[in-house]
Structures are given as C-alpha cells and as structure tokens.
Amino acid sequence: GALALDPSKPGTMYCSLDYDVGVFRSRDSGATWTRMKGIGAEVTTLAVHPGQPSVVYAGSDRGVFRSRGDRWVPLNSGLASPFVRALAIDPGGRALHAGTLGGAFDYEVSDAPCAPLDVACVVATDAEETGTAGDEAALESRNRSAESIWRAFPQPGSGRQ
C-alpha cells in the first residue's frame, strides 16, 4: 500500500491497499474515504503534484497513472518495466521520477490544464467502467501517442553521464 498527503490542502490524503485495486481519497484527515474510479491496477506508490492538488500520480503493477479529479491517464511511454516501485515529484512540480524493476526514469510534467492524451484516456476510462473497454494493447497504443515520454536515468556504474 501507499499513502500521500496533499501539500496544499491539509486533511486531504490518498491511499492504496496491498489487497485492493485502486486509490482512495479522504478530505477529512482520514475520517472517511472514497474510492477514486478507473485506475484498475494494484497501486504501489503515490505522489501529489505540489502546485496542482487535483493531480495525483500513482505507480502500479501496470505503470504510472496521472489523475485529474477522478479520471486516470496512463503515462507509460518509454518505461522499460510497467512495475513501478517508487515515485517522487520535484518541489516545483516540473519533473516526476519513477523507480521500476527496469531502472529509474524521469518524466517532464506539463503545466497544460488538459493535454491531448487526457481526452483519449477519459474515453478509455469510461469504457472500462461500463465494461466495454478494449484490450491493453489498445490502451498502450493511445499511450504511445503522448508527446512526453519517460527518459531513463543512467544506471550506476554504466559510465554514461
């Protein structure tokens, strides 16, 4: 499981559970929790955007997802492994870092209020919720059309800078 606190909204927090699929949100310091819809993956790590509290990043056994409200967008283009063990976002909110079974990666975070990929994902998420979703290959092909991709960090001892 994972837990992340919203740095700009005291009392707002997000969590995932080891035995459950998805992310839960509390806006009252954990007194009540609501499941956020549509992620469909076992979440292992969470990060909240420091300047955009409605944006939450979830690392999972199916890659990285970004939320805007209750909608999740897959951000997996360029990841060598979909199993994400750790996420961190820099204090300025400009770069997201992921630790995966395939190495460490970084992703340039866009300040755009709604990137083109979001629209495709909303359609995919709605289809998943209604049981009409296509296979994972269709979701991945939408994901490859994203403008930003993950870049691999040089591995320790590789000699690359």
Side-chain angles (χ1 to χ4, degrees):
L3 179 68
L5 305 176
D6 186 330
S8 65
K9 290 185 177 180
T12 298
M13 58 183 77
Y14 302 86
C15 81
S16 67
L17 306 172
D18 287 337
Y19 59 84
D20 205 316
V21 172
V23 175
F24 297 83
R25 175 180 48 220
S26 174
R27 293 184 172 140
D28 56 11
S29 300
T32 60
W33 294 90
T34 304
R35 180 189 296 269
M36 297 174 71
K37 297 177 185 173
I39 199 163
E42 184 178 336
V43 175
T44 55
T45 182
L46 295 163
V48 179
H49 191 289
Q52 299 177 35
S54 66
V55 177
V56 179
Y57 296 95
S60 74
D61 60 343
R62 291 183 47 208
V64 176
F65 294 83
R66 177 184 67 211
S67 78
R68 294 207 186 248
D70 286 333
R71 301 293 182 187
W72 292 98
V73 179
L75 301 175
N76 298 324
S77 185
L79 280 179
S81 168
F83 195 91
V84 179
R85 304 282 302 206
L87 283 179
I89 189 164
D90 74 90
R94 303 296 301 164
L96 181 66
H97 309 284
T100 75
L101 293 179
F105 297 84
D106 70 342
Y107 184 91
E108 185 177 335
V109 176
S110 169
D111 283 336
C114 185
L117 180 60
D118 289 343
V119 175
C121 185
V122 168
V123 171
T125 301
D126 287 343
E128 287 174 356
E129 290 173 9
T130 61
T132 59
D135 59 17
E136 289 187 24
L139 291 175
E140 185 61 27
S141 69
R142 285 189 189 115
N143 190 38
R144 279 195 288 271
S145 68
E147 292 178 15
S148 296
I149 64 168
W150 289 92
R151 293 182 308 271
F153 284 121
Q155 296 300 309
S158 70
R160 295 187 309 163
Q161 295 292 328

